[in-house]
Amino acid sequence: MYRPRAWTAQAPVHRVRIEKIRAGKGAKVQIRAMDGDEEGMASLVAKTTLKAPWAERDAWKSDDQRYDAAVAASVPALRTTAYQAAAEFIEAIWQRSNIISIGHVRSTRGLLIVKDLPAAQEEFGAELREVLADPLTFTDRFGTLVAPWPAAERWAAQACRTHADAVARYVAAEEAALRDCVVHGRTIASTPGIGAVLTPEDCADTFEDEMAVLAVLRAWCGEQTADRFDELAALRAEVTRLGVIAEEAIEAVRRAGDSRAADALRYRLGLRQAQAVRPDHPRYDDCGP
């Protein structure tokens, strides 16, 4: 089944016969038209224009119509912070896009794609179908559960609550990184040995937008969880600060000539004794007879 306008929803399709598949870069397929005004004519076409075996045309057309309707309802969400937050949860926090992914290409933009329903239900509960219920939710001919953005947003909020601790940790770390890069800039790794260098000004330009995405994730995982992690982060920072002050005080006592008192303070505070430098042992072949 051949659709000349490969990515145009509801565009006409034609019956063709594949005669040759050409390998290599920019590979194309030689086809021969089996109907229409060009019946009997041969041409080279891109693989993306060949959609399905002719015998499966009814099932394919049904999927095509349902995908088109779901995408149309989801496209307005693409530039929202909620959409970015859902994508960030799947790709950066949960990291299980082999089970559930969010569509980015033209034919699935804004859709939640449940590739492995049993695994998804094991992770998020048997009521997953209820969470994703929507007039535009459907299961395609391959058994993939597809949901439009309104259902995807409900799922994302529930998924963040299910993984609240992981979300809160991620939000805290990312917020600290964003604040740091506004001051110092950052390097984004890409291919080995190559990275994009962002100046503090570059980071400042996107700071508010990225913080808004983190705010959505924080809200989804629950205020109590987020507040608890904020308190823990503040506590860790305070413990670190006090530890530095204690170390400085102990060293001051030691420099004043009272090593015994310094060691006693270190012991009482539970600080580890600085590890002594061990002398190098001679190698076997350096030893005399």
Side-chain angles (χ1 to χ4, degrees), residues 198-239:
L198 300 180
T199 65
E201 292 74 19
D202 294 331
C203 296
D205 288 342
T206 61
F207 179 79
E208 293 298 333
D209 290 341
E210 293 182 270
M211 287 292 287
V213 173
L214 296 182
V216 173
L217 289 169
R218 180 187 293 272
W220 281 348
C221 78
E223 290 185 4
Q224 290 183 343
T225 301
D227 289 345
R228 177 163 54 86
F229 270 86
D230 287 345
E231 291 171 1
L232 287 174
L235 179 60
R236 291 191 189 101
E238 181 64 10
V239 169

Side-chain angles (χ1 to χ4, degrees), residues 19 55 66 71 86 90 112 119 126 128 131 147 159 163 174 192-193 195 212 257 281 287:
E19 295 191 333
R66 292 186 293 181
V71 167
I90 293 173
L112 194 73
L128 179 64
V131 174
H163 294 78
E174 281 298 297
H281 293 287
C287 296

Side-chain angles (χ1 to χ4, degrees), residues 37-188:
D37 296 337
E38 298 181 353
E39 184 176 355
M41 294 182 62
S43 57
L44 287 175
V45 301
K47 289 183 178 180
T48 54
T49 62
L50 300 174
K51 297 301 182 180
W54 187 252
E56 298 176 12
R57 63 189 180 280
D58 291 338
W60 178 85
K61 285 181 180 179
S62 177
D63 279 355
D64 188 48
Q65 292 170 355
R66 292 186 293 181
Y67 270 102
D68 183 39
V71 167
S74 303
V75 164
L78 292 180
R79 296 186 180 276
T80 64
T81 53
Y83 177 83
Q84 296 175 53
E88 199 153 331
F89 169 76
I90 293 173
E91 296 162 11
I93 302 174
W94 187 43
Q95 298 183 352
R96 300 288 298 279
S97 58
N98 60 313
I99 296 176
I100 296 178
S101 64
I102 196 161
H104 296 293
V105 300
R106 187 181 306 179
S107 59
T108 60
R109 291 178 296 176
L111 306 184
L112 194 73
I113 313 295
V114 184
K115 305 171 184 176
D116 188 338
L117 183 58
Q121 289 178 320
E122 182 177 351
E123 184 88 11
F124 299 107
E127 68 278 6
L128 179 64
R129 281 187 179 274
E130 297 176 15
V131 174
L132 296 179
D134 186 279
L136 296 177
T137 297
F138 67 97
T139 301
D140 70 12
R141 67 190 189 281
F142 301 113
T144 300
L145 183 64
V146 181
W149 171 249
E153 185 175 16
R154 288 197 303 273
W155 169 82
Q158 184 197 62
C160 284
R161 289 193 295 273
T162 302
H163 294 78
D165 285 356
V167 173
R169 281 194 297 269
Y170 176 83
V171 168
E174 281 298 297
E175 183 172 344
L178 287 175
R179 295 188 184 282
D180 180 77
C181 80
V182 169
V183 178
H184 302 105
R186 72 193 301 183
T187 299
I188 301 176

